[in-house]
Amino acid sequence: MIASKKYPWVVVGLLWVVALLNYIDRQMLSTMGPSMQMDIAELQSATNFGYLMAIFLWIYGFMSPVAGIIADKLNRKWLIVGSLFVWSGVTFLMGYATTFNQLYWLRAMMGVSEALYIPAGLSLIADYHTGKTRSLAIGIHMTGLYMGQALGGFGATIASEFSWQQTFHSFGIIGIAYSAVLIFFL
């Protein structure tokens, strides 16, 4: 299948789902604040909630160039699989958090693990798509990011139907399972 002319597009499709999960997992927290505030009193402070959002972005921003260096040195497939597995595990564990400090450190870990994906993913797409298909392949992949950002907003809807804990658990399990899919097909 790897020698197939269709496989470069399979790579884009597989990574599209990773991009989708990447942005869903990072966005869910921002929409589930009201549900979480009932169980974690420290989140009733807008300042504390802001800290949770900021720690992810600060670490993600700092790690992005470092992640590019790492992606140039390591096997990108395994970096993508490992990154997805770790951030999905972090998402799953967020469903067990009972304090602000637990959430804070989990968000920091998510910043590191999610930052590893984009440089490795885009580089892998560039390996399979040269010349006339590269821009289209990257453009298609980018729609996964935007779709994930939009769908992450439904975290509050899911949390209201079930619970914020179950929402984190469910998306964590989906990501962990998908990392196993990537082992075989990426």
Side-chain angles (χ1 to χ4, degrees):
M1 182 166 176
I2 291 178
S4 162
K5 291 186 181 214
K6 294 178 184 176
Y7 187 71
W9 294 108
V10 170
V11 168
V12 172
L14 290 168
L15 294 181
W16 187 92
V17 175
V18 178
L20 175 85
L21 292 171
N22 187 285
Y23 271 69
I24 285 175
D25 287 354
R26 79 172 60 178
Q27 289 297 113
M28 283 190 312
L29 176 68
S30 64
T31 64
M32 293 192 307
S35 297
M36 296 174 73
Q37 288 172 352
M38 291 187 264
D39 296 323
I40 302 174
E42 297 109 327
L43 295 182
Q44 293 173 6
S45 160
T47 301
N48 283 345
F49 201 79
Y51 287 147
L52 285 183
M53 302 309 287
I55 189 63
F56 171 84
L57 293 171
W58 277 105
I59 290 180
Y60 187 94
F62 173 77
M63 278 299 300
S64 289
V66 175
I69 293 167
I70 292 169
D72 285 338
K73 295 185 183 304
L74 298 180
N75 181 297
R76 288 183 298 274
K77 169 190 172 173
W78 293 110
L79 190 57
I80 291 165
V81 169
S83 173
L84 173 60
F85 182 83
V86 170
W87 93 60
S88 296
V90 167
T91 300
F92 181 82
L93 290 175
M94 286 178 72
Y96 289 110
T98 58
T99 68
F100 169 81
N101 284 336
Q102 290 169 344
L103 286 172
Y104 187 83
W105 289 108
L106 288 168
R107 285 293 284 185
M109 287 174 40
M110 184 176 276
V112 172
S113 58
E114 283 199 5
L116 292 169
Y117 170 66
I118 293 293
L122 293 178
S123 181
L124 192 61
I125 289 171
D127 286 348
Y128 283 97
H129 290 273
T130 58
K132 294 181 180 185
T133 63
R134 182 176 287 166
S135 294
L136 176 60
I138 289 172
I140 290 169
H141 173 264
M142 296 302 288
T143 66
L145 300 174
Y146 305 129
M147 184 66 74
Q149 195 168 14
L151 291 176
F154 289 107
T157 304
I158 298 168
S160 69
E161 288 295 316
F162 301 99
S163 70
W164 63 269
Q165 294 96 337
Q166 186 60 45
T167 305
F168 281 127
H169 291 154
S170 298
F171 280 96
I173 289 169
I174 289 168
I176 290 168
Y178 194 68
S179 67
V181 169
L182 292 180
I183 290 170
F184 296 105
F185 295 104
L186 187 61

